[in-house]
Amino acid sequence: GAGVSQSPSNKVTEKGKDVELRCDPISGHTALYWYRQSLGQGLEFLIYFQGNSAPDKSGLPSDRFSAERTGGSVSTLTIQRTQQEDSAVYLCASSLVGQVYEQYFGPGTRLTVT
Amino acid sequence: AQTVTQSQPEMSVQEAETVTLSCTYDTSENNYYLFWYKQPPSRQMILVIRQEAYKQQNATENRFSVNFQKAAKSFSLKISDSQLGDTAMYFCAAAKPGATNKLIFGTGTLLAVQP
């Protein structure tokens, strides 16, 4: 079946602008994660959604970052008033829940803030 | 809090040879999971192998195997018969079963397989 998809693949934006990044998880996966991969760094957890439960937002770096998941499927990560330090690859993953199942990753969105 | 450390930023191996990537972790949990992910230039993260901490037997997936030393908190990845397609960033990660199951990643090792 189809894997996790993300759009856009690449995004260049000017400092101060808002951006929206989209993630379509695998059908049937109720758990959805956002991670950030900065140059030379590992992946950093941002936010977690599971079904209708309140999301775990503990990894969001500032209040400029927010995310939502509509209808338990598609998720959008929004970064307001982008800064140059927001430049990174943003990866989305989805999984089944109950155990620590394999997280299936999308190809990521490379965000460049100029 | 869990932490994961990969002390080898880059490694190189000749095609058909064997290479071992190192990973250490720190956790106070008794039950946890450890993973190795591969990230080729396409950016797609691919699960290579998974180990459950309560299982003493080392996990194996074809040419990939781990050396899990629980007391030493070490989780190394051995790649046998290295192939050109193994060239990628390799990330070690840990997760604690619970409400979130979020992955805690190391900083990665860039592996280059030379022809």
Side-chain angles (χ1 to χ4, degrees):
Chain A
V4 178
S5 61
Q6 292 186 245
S7 61
S9 178
N10 292 282
K11 175 72 175 179
V12 180
T13 190
E14 292 180 352
K15 178 182 174 182
K17 296 288 180 77
D18 297 352
V19 295
E20 285 189 353
L21 312 180
R22 177 187 169 104
C23 171
D24 281 272
I26 292 173
S27 178
H29 282 189
T30 56
L32 187 148
Y33 304 79
W34 283 97
Y35 294 90
R36 179 171 69 175
Q37 184 177 18
S38 302
L39 186 64
Q41 301 293 317
L43 279 71
E44 170 192 18
F45 167 77
L46 296 177
I47 189 169
Y48 165 76
F49 294 93
Q50 197 277 302
N52 295 321
S53 302
D56 178 352
K57 304 179 182 179
S58 61
L60 294 179
S62 77
D63 58 7
R64 296 186 296 105
F65 287 72
S66 63
E68 63 178 20
R69 189 177 185 192
T70 55
S73 181
V74 171
S75 177
T76 302
L77 177 69
T78 301
I79 308 173
Q80 296 178 311
R81 306 181 302 281
T82 52
Q83 304 294 313
Q84 287 189 332
E85 60 263 28
D86 299 334
S87 296
V89 175
Y90 290 83
L91 290 157
C92 174
S94 71
S95 75
L96 297 169
V97 293
Q99 297 290 329
V100 184
Y101 286 102
E102 173 182 354
Q103 292 183 21
Y104 293 82
F105 283 81
T109 294
R110 181 178 297 281
L111 175 66
T112 302
V113 182
T114 61
Chain B
Q2 292 180 321
T3 60
V4 177
T5 302
Q6 293 179 252
S7 58
Q8 304 156 314
E10 296 183 21
M11 292 195 71
S12 180
V13 64
Q14 293 295 125
E15 196 175 6
E17 296 293 309
T18 295
V19 65
T20 298
L21 308 183
S22 300
C23 173
T24 58
Y25 61 93
D26 190 18
T27 181
S28 57
E29 304 293 330
N30 288 321
N31 187 23
Y32 52 91
Y33 291 74
L34 299 167
F35 306 82
W36 278 98
Y37 277 86
K38 169 184 176 181
Q39 187 181 42
S42 67
R43 293 201 310 245
Q44 187 83 45
M45 295 283 283
I46 302 165
L47 179 66
V48 175
I49 200 164
R50 180 176 83 172
Q51 176 81 42
E52 296 162 51
Y54 63 86
K55 290 188 178 179
Q56 293 185 336
Q57 187 172 5
N58 289 325
T60 299
E61 289 288 341
N62 300 314
R63 298 183 295 108
F64 299 87
S65 62
V66 298
N67 183 4
F68 175 45
Q69 300 290 327
K70 191 171 183 179
K73 296 182 178 176
S74 171
F75 183 61
S76 61
L77 174 70
K78 185 172 82 171
I79 306 174
S80 304
D81 185 25
S82 296
Q83 301 176 359
L84 296 177
D86 295 335
T87 293
M89 280 290 287
Y90 286 81
F91 290 98
C92 180
K96 175 189 73 173
T100 302
N101 297 334
K102 64 184 178 185
L103 293 167
I104 307 299
F105 286 87
T107 52
T109 296
L110 179 60
L111 176 67
V113 180
Q114 307 292 342

